[in-house]
Amino acid sequence: MTPAQARRFAVDASHALAAAGQGDMVWGHVAVRDPDGRGIWIKAPGWGLEEVRDDRLQLVSHEAEVLIGDGTPHKECHIHLQVLRARPEAHCSVHTHPVSAIAFAALDVPLLPLSHEGTLFGGADVPRFRETGGLVSTPELGEKLATALGEAPAALMPKHGLVAAGHTAAAAVMHAVLLDSACAIQMQAQAVGKALIHSDATEARAKRAQCWPDSQLEAGYRYLVRKAAA
């Protein structure tokens, strides 16, 4: 990957998240690891995900300083800096505030594999970052968030939003989208009764492998990119 390609991924991933309904006015962001090791490519503050263009990107260093681009860095750039530092295999991270994920996190109940989306975690519950419901505005909080995420595709941030990571921009974006969708499905089911029918751990692991290989994550991501362009 070249820096130009990383910038393209940062733009496309932002648009894909917006097309999936994960925009929150000018808040929320996606970051792509700079292939030259200088830090992360991320949108400049003040722009919505759907408004991101190449000239609205910043290259933010590991010390949270803007190397390329205009303005100051996002207060929560430490989310991406620390997640990508802790996950050397990951090339992209996402932090958004989708309504269903926030609402589900407030219920403090396990995420069940009720659907294809729910099997993203292979029958295990989604991790949760409970250190703070406020901004992750320091390296220390970013590191604790990265620890909570661990090797999982995504994690809930109760009272705040979600974080996701992936070895490609497609994977990171789809992990965020699928988590929010799984939360929405479970809340709909539980609104009318206790959700009883779901995959056991064995079936959930098998469905995760069937439904969410790289090819399917890429297909879903490409659809969202096309939807944004249209």
Side-chain angles (χ1 to χ4, degrees):
M1 184 190 301
T2 66
Q5 290 172 319
R7 293 171 72 114
R8 184 71 252 169
F9 283 130
V11 172
D12 285 349
S14 297
H15 295 173
L17 287 165
Q22 296 218 1
D24 180 20
M25 292 189 281
V26 300
W27 300 288
H29 22 78
V30 55
V32 175
R33 187 191 300 275
D34 177 60
D36 291 341
R38 295 172 293 177
I40 56 172
W41 290 99
I42 185 172
K43 73 178 179 69
W47 299 105
L49 291 169
E50 74 281 2
E51 297 180 302
V52 177
R53 305 184 318 216
D54 186 76
D55 61 349
R56 293 172 179 168
L57 294 176
Q58 296 174 330
L59 174 60
V60 177
S61 75
H62 298 291
E63 291 72 40
E65 298 176 347
V66 176
L67 303 179
I68 297 175
D70 299 325
T72 58
H74 279 280
K75 293 179 180 179
E76 292 193 304
C77 66
H78 301 287
I79 291 175
H80 307 285
L81 291 169
Q82 296 303 321
V83 166
L84 294 177
R85 177 175 292 173
R87 296 273 293 267
E89 88 290 353
H91 288 277
C92 182
S93 54
V94 170
H95 170 56
T96 53
H97 310 131
V99 172
S100 293
I102 295 171
F104 180 81
L107 301 178
D108 201 26
V109 298
L111 183 66
L112 301 173
L114 304 182
S115 62
H116 293 340
E117 295 91 337
T119 64
L120 178 65
F121 300 92
D125 190 14
V126 57
R128 290 164 171 83
F129 172 65
R130 302 181 186 275
E131 187 71 21
T132 180
L135 298 181
V136 181
S137 56
T138 66
E140 292 75 20
L141 284 172
E143 185 175 357
K144 290 178 179 179
L145 174 57
T147 298
L149 174 62
E151 298 301 314
L156 291 171
M157 302 167 67
K159 302 174 284 183
H160 189 160
L162 63 77
V163 64
H167 65 287
T168 63
V173 167
M174 289 300 295
H175 290 163
V177 171
L178 293 169
L179 173 55
D180 188 53
S181 181
C183 290
I185 290 168
Q186 184 162 333
M187 285 195 297
Q188 288 186 41
Q190 292 188 330
V192 294
K194 185 177 180 181
L196 296 176
I197 300 176
H198 57 82
S199 297
D200 60 21
T202 299
E203 183 177 72
R205 286 192 296 271
K207 285 185 67 177
R208 177 182 178 178
Q210 287 178 327
C211 297
W212 309 125
D214 286 348
S215 60
Q216 291 297 90
L217 296 176
E218 184 71 27
Y221 173 72
R222 287 296 160 199
Y223 164 76
L224 291 172
V225 172
R226 292 195 304 271
K227 182 178 179 181

